[in-house]
Amino acid sequence: MVGSTHEALHRIFQKDPTLLTNALQKVLGVEFPEPREFVALNVDLTEIEPVERRVDTLLRAETDEGPYLFVVESQGEMDGRKRGSWPYYLSYLYEKYRCEPVLIVTTQSSATARWAAQPIEFGLRDWKSLTVRPLVLGPDNVPVIADEREAVADPPLAVLSAMTHGKGRNVAAILESLAAALKTIDRDSAAVFVQFVDSCLVDPRAKQMWRDLMTEIQYFWRHELAEQVREEGRVQQCAEMVLRLLEWRCVPVSDAVRERVNACTDLDQLEVWAQRATHATDGAELFVEK
C-alpha cells in the first residue's frame, strides 16, 4: 500500500516517469531531451556497513544526448542531514553509472521547498569545490489544476497537482477535476493514481471528499492492481523491519542476508524472519529452520 505522503510523492514518478520530464519543462522551465526509454534502478546506495544510503526513487532516462539519472527525493520538512547526503548521492551515482545525475525534490511545504532549493556549496568562501543545485517541485511552482479540461489534457500532472495542493482552498475543484480526468485513462493507471492522492491528503475533510468522489468509480478501490500495490507496500515495509531489527540490536548483516531479505516477496515468510530477528545473534540465523 502507498501508505504515506512521503512514499506517494516519489513513487508517482516510478508509475509515470514521463511526468518527470513534463514537470521539468512545464513547471521548472528546464530544457531536457525527450527520453527514448526509462529504466528503474536499485535505490540502495549503501557502500560500507553499517552506514546505509538510500534514495527515494532512482530512474535512468535514455536520450539522444546520452543517459541521465533522475534522483527523486520526497521531503516532508527541512532536514540538515540532507545537505550532506544529497551531494553524496550525486557523486556516488556519477562514479557508479558514469552518467549525469539530476536531483529533484518534491514537497507539499513552501518553506521546505525554499530550503531545499538553496544551493549546497563546499569549499573556500571565494572558490567552491562542489556545488549542488536541487530542482524543487512544490506548492509555489506546481500548477493548481482545478479545471476539468486541463486535468483531462494531462492526468499525471493533475495527480501531482492534487498531491501537492491537497490542503489548499482550491482542493474541492482540484479533486473534482481529477476525478473526471481519471475516468478517461486506463483502469490500471487510475487505480494507482487514486492511491497516491489518498496518501497525500493530510486534511481529513479533503481525504473524505476524495473517497466520496471515488465511490462513484468503486472499481478503483477494488481493482486487483490496487490490491497488488498495497501488497507490495506491505512486503517492502516488512523487509525493512527485519533488517532494522537486526541493525538496532547491532547484529551483523552480510550483503547476502540483506539481498535475500529484500528479494523475498512472501509476507508470511518475512513475518517469520522478523520474529527471529528479535533474538538472532547473526543475520544468517534468520534462515535456520527450527
Side-chain angles (χ1 to χ4, degrees):
M1 180 179 182
V2 184
S4 68
T5 298
H6 173 91
E7 187 179 2
L9 278 172
H10 69 85
R11 281 188 58 188
I12 184 175
F13 297 106
Q14 297 176 19
K15 167 59 185 170
D16 191 340
T18 59
L19 180 59
L20 275 176
T21 51
N22 195 1
L24 282 176
Q25 296 168 355
K26 292 185 177 181
V27 179
L28 299 170
V30 176
E31 292 297 326
F32 188 83
E34 191 65 28
R36 298 190 306 274
E37 178 186 14
F38 280 100
V39 179
L41 302 178
N42 191 333
V43 299
D44 194 341
L45 309 186
T46 304
E47 274 287 279
I48 302 174
E49 294 180 314
V51 178
E52 182 177 329
R53 303 283 191 180
R54 189 180 297 272
V55 298
D56 288 334
T57 284
L58 180 60
L59 298 167
R60 180 184 177 116
E62 299 291 344
T63 78
D64 291 337
E65 297 181 10
Y68 287 84
L69 295 177
F70 283 120
V71 183
V72 184
E73 286 280 283
S74 172
Q75 199 66 33
E77 59 187 16
M78 292 177 277
D79 182 353
R81 295 172 298 178
K82 294 294 186 179
R83 313 303 286 183
S85 58
W86 286 342
Y88 168 84
Y89 294 164
L90 300 182
S91 299
Y92 172 87
L93 289 168
Y94 179 80
E95 179 65 22
K96 181 174 182 179
Y97 294 103
R98 288 295 172 179
C99 57
E100 300 296 334
V102 180
L103 174 61
I104 298 176
V105 180
T106 63
T107 182
Q108 292 178 311
S109 164
S110 294
T112 301
R114 290 191 293 271
W115 163 82
Q118 297 172 9
I120 304 168
E121 299 179 328
F122 295 118
L124 301 174
R125 182 178 60 184
D126 297 323
W127 190 274
K128 302 304 178 185
S129 300
L130 175 66
T131 300
V132 174
R133 299 176 60 201
L135 291 163
V136 181
L137 294 169
D140 296 333
N141 57 8
V142 172
V144 175
I145 299 181
D147 179 83
E148 182 176 327
R149 289 173 297 179
E150 291 183 34
V152 170
D154 195 340
L157 189 59
V159 172
L160 184 61
S161 175
M163 293 165 62
T164 305
H165 300 286
K167 55 183 179 181
R169 63 180 183 274
N170 296 310
V171 63
I174 291 172
L175 296 181
E176 289 170 359
S177 298
L178 177 58
L182 291 181
K183 295 177 184 179
T184 68
I185 66 176
D186 66 277
R187 291 189 174 198
D188 288 352
S189 296
V192 178
F193 286 151
V194 166
Q195 298 292 325
F196 287 151
V197 173
D198 188 76
S199 296
C200 284
L201 294 174
V202 295
D203 183 336
R205 290 173 298 180
K207 187 181 287 285
Q208 188 57 53
M209 183 187 306
W210 180 239
R211 293 184 174 182
D212 290 343
L213 285 168
M214 291 303 98
T215 59
E216 300 176 9
I217 39 179
Q218 292 181 5
Y219 63 80
F220 287 155
W221 297 102
R222 299 195 306 265
H223 194 272
E224 61 183 10
L225 184 62
E227 281 299 323
Q228 179 182 340
V229 170
R230 286 193 286 270
E231 182 68 15
E232 289 174 353
R234 288 193 293 267
V235 166
Q236 181 181 1
Q237 290 172 1
C238 197
E240 291 174 353
M241 180 180 66
V242 171
L243 296 174
R244 292 195 184 281
L245 281 170
L246 295 173
E247 291 167 359
W248 288 336
R249 298 183 57 245
C250 299
V251 175
V253 180
S254 67
D255 288 342
V257 169
R258 187 180 300 276
E259 290 174 5
R260 184 170 176 182
V261 171
N262 283 328
C264 181
T265 58
D266 185 334
L267 188 59
D268 292 336
Q269 181 63 74
L270 286 168
E271 290 176 348
V272 170
W273 289 347
Q275 293 174 2
R276 294 175 183 172
T278 61
H279 53 75
T281 56
D282 184 273
E285 292 181 19
L286 295 178
F287 316 125
V288 177
E289 298 294 338
K290 298 181 180 180

